[in-house]
Amino acid sequence: MKLPSSSATELNKQDLRHFLKTQDFTKKELSDILKLMAMLKQARKDNAVPQLFKGKSVAMIFEQPSTRTRVSFETAATLLGGHALFLSPKDIHLGAKESLEDTARVLSRMVDIIMARVDDHSTVAGLAQYASVPVVNGLCDWLHPTQIMADLFTMQEHLPENKKLSDLTVAFVGDATNVTSSLMFACTKFGMTFKHICPDRFKAPQEWINIALENCEYSGGELVITDDTAQVEGCDIVVADSFYWFGQEDEKEIRLSTFIPDYVVSEDLMAKAGADAMFMHCLPANDQRECSREVMESANSIIFDEAENRLTAQMAILAYFTYKHNTVPSAETVAAHKNKIEGFLNSL
Ligand code: CP
């Protein structure tokens, strides 16, 4: 299919990259995004964020509710000098009165980047197939890549003394969620040891395990799949996530009875991990379910740094995926258009 051109950015297909999953990116490319995050976070602290998204717009499609992803993308667009449009399924025709293809093509003619939080990965992948601007996965049933950029950055900010990212051991305690998969892929890509501690019944599918094992082969990382919570011992970071998500409500009872109490990240479990082990959670958390409020509020909890870094990540993602498509007009071109248009308006 011939890709339509975008009036906003006029991208060639070879210049177009989507952020559907971290697996599509090399460790060097992901590290570059982390470096950009560090620079933008400092710029934000200094109230001096460069206007890298000036005059640009991000269309944000949300099939599911969101606090962090919505607010961080919207704020990031504003900080960078651009604009964000919130599009819920009841506001647009996507999937009901208009096909995915037509929606992607129309949005590409008006905005510079599309971010979509969707029920099913095929929707964000379909948008990417037909869009002529970058498409970012803001969470799907399988993956949550923008969350994981914030997570890697937060780990980097809190590295134990004399350790680098590849030295870390990360234990994810609980269900095989979209955060589990994304974290499993990213941690193993960066050469870390990643432990998924989960009852057998809900463990990660073999397809995810194969991807992570392949990462380990060239990164030197390690993957541990176990149902034994004693495996948290010596971990640098313990991660929790909800035990069920949208679309899994009918499994709520069986999930809660399987995970609670053994897989709840409690103060006892954190003590098993060790005095220096940090606690992460992408939020929202169901405290007293997958983790205790005491753990969330403890000195070792870095969950609110993690949440703030969603904004750090989104600034970098908007800049990384659109900056090279900027065309800066000369002062003469700007003046010529201004004179012509204002001359016309003055003549009316
Ligand atoms: N962690 C996360 O994606 O949060 P929201 O659902 O609030 O966006």
Side-chain angles (χ1 to χ4, degrees):
M1 186 202 135
K2 185 176 177 299
L3 271 172
S5 65
S6 155
S7 60
T9 47
E10 296 290 347
L11 299 186
N12 292 319
K13 195 175 179 186
Q14 65 267 22
D15 294 331
L16 183 58
R17 290 199 77 183
H18 305 292
F19 193 46
L20 301 186
K21 51 186 189 295
T22 54
Q23 273 305 104
D24 295 336
F25 291 77
T26 64
K27 181 184 165 191
K28 155 84 171 72
E29 288 169 331
L30 296 174
S31 300
D32 285 343
I33 297 176
L34 292 175
K35 284 180 191 159
L36 189 55
M37 287 172 70
M39 289 186 262
L40 285 164
K41 184 163 185 175
Q42 188 57 50
R44 178 174 167 245
K45 271 191 194 152
D46 295 340
N47 198 21
V49 177
Q51 301 296 279
L52 303 170
F53 201 60
K54 188 165 187 273
K56 293 185 181 291
S57 300
V58 51
M60 310 188 303
I61 298 171
F62 279 96
E63 289 186 342
Q64 291 178 11
S66 161
T67 300
R68 280 143 290 270
T69 308
R70 176 178 175 179
V71 174
S72 58
F73 266 104
E74 200 160 329
T75 307
T78 305
L79 283 168
L80 293 165
H83 176 68
L85 297 98
F86 173 73
L87 307 170
S88 83
K90 51 180 199 306
D91 302 320
I92 56 172
H93 299 298
L94 178 68
K97 287 192 179 148
E98 190 164 52
S99 68
L100 200 65
E101 173 176 349
D102 288 355
T103 301
R105 293 174 66 180
V106 168
L107 289 178
S108 297
R109 296 292 183 111
M110 299 186 191
V111 304
D112 302 275
I113 185 166
I114 299 166
M115 190 283 299
R117 165 168 291 202
V118 296
D119 295 328
D120 193 289
H121 183 75
S122 63
T123 305
V124 72
L127 287 169
Q129 185 182 347
Y130 298 114
S132 54
V133 295
V135 173
V136 175
N137 181 355
L139 179 147
C140 65
D141 53 334
W142 181 33
L143 296 158
H144 199 355
T146 66
Q147 175 70 51
I148 268 41
M149 293 316 297
D151 289 1
L152 290 174
F153 188 79
T154 309
M155 290 175 194
Q156 200 169 254
E157 285 186 318
H158 291 276
L159 281 176
E161 220 175 312
N162 300 323
K163 281 195 178 182
K164 47 190 188 305
L165 274 183
S166 58
D167 298 326
L168 295 182
T169 297
V170 175
F172 189 106
V173 183
D175 190 22
T177 66
N178 41 24
V179 173
T180 323
S181 61
S182 299
L183 209 48
M184 180 186 282
F185 301 157
C187 289
T188 53
K189 187 173 277 248
F190 274 80
M192 300 181 212
T193 297
F194 183 84
K195 299 183 177 184
H196 184 206
I197 302 174
C198 176
D200 239 25
R201 177 178 183 147
F202 293 107
K203 76 172 195 185
Q206 193 57 42
E207 182 197 352
W208 301 7
I209 294 173
N210 292 345
I211 292 171
L213 287 175
E214 202 174 304
N215 283 348
C216 291
E217 265 178 40
Y218 64 79
S219 71
E222 193 185 339
L223 178 71
V224 177
I225 305 287
T226 177
D227 62 358
D228 181 8
T229 54
Q231 282 280 334
V232 293
E233 191 183 339
C235 288
D236 299 292
I237 296 167
V238 178
V239 188
D241 195 4
S242 52
F243 292 143
Y244 69 96
W245 190 243
F246 294 100
Q248 295 173 329
E249 291 84 355
D250 55 342
E251 291 183 4
K252 178 180 168 183
E253 295 313 321
I254 181 67
R255 283 173 169 274
L256 295 185
S257 61
T258 307
F259 286 106
I260 300 173
D262 291 351
Y263 296 87
V264 176
V265 179
S266 60
E267 286 177 299
D268 282 351
L269 191 134
M270 286 303 291
K272 276 191 215 162
D276 296 327
M278 288 167 288
F279 175 65
M280 293 180 73
H281 190 309
C282 68
L283 305 178
N286 305 285
D287 58 345
Q288 314 308 347
R289 207 177 262 175
E290 68 265 15
C291 58
S292 70
R293 178 47 65 175
E294 291 74 20
V295 169
M296 291 173 68
E297 301 292 349
S298 69
N300 290 19
S301 167
I302 53 174
I303 57 174
F304 294 107
D305 289 347
E306 184 182 1
E308 181 188 336
N309 281 330
R310 298 300 307 283
L311 173 57
T312 315
Q314 316 317 18
M315 284 193 290
I317 287 164
L318 291 179
Y320 184 88
F321 286 95
T322 63
Y323 182 72
K324 286 205 175 137
H325 311 141
N326 284 349
T327 49
V328 182
S330 68
E332 290 75 27
T333 304
V334 174
H337 281 295
K338 183 174 185 292
N339 289 341
K340 184 177 168 189
I341 294 164
E342 289 188 353
F344 172 69
L345 288 170
N346 285 328
S347 74
L348 298 179

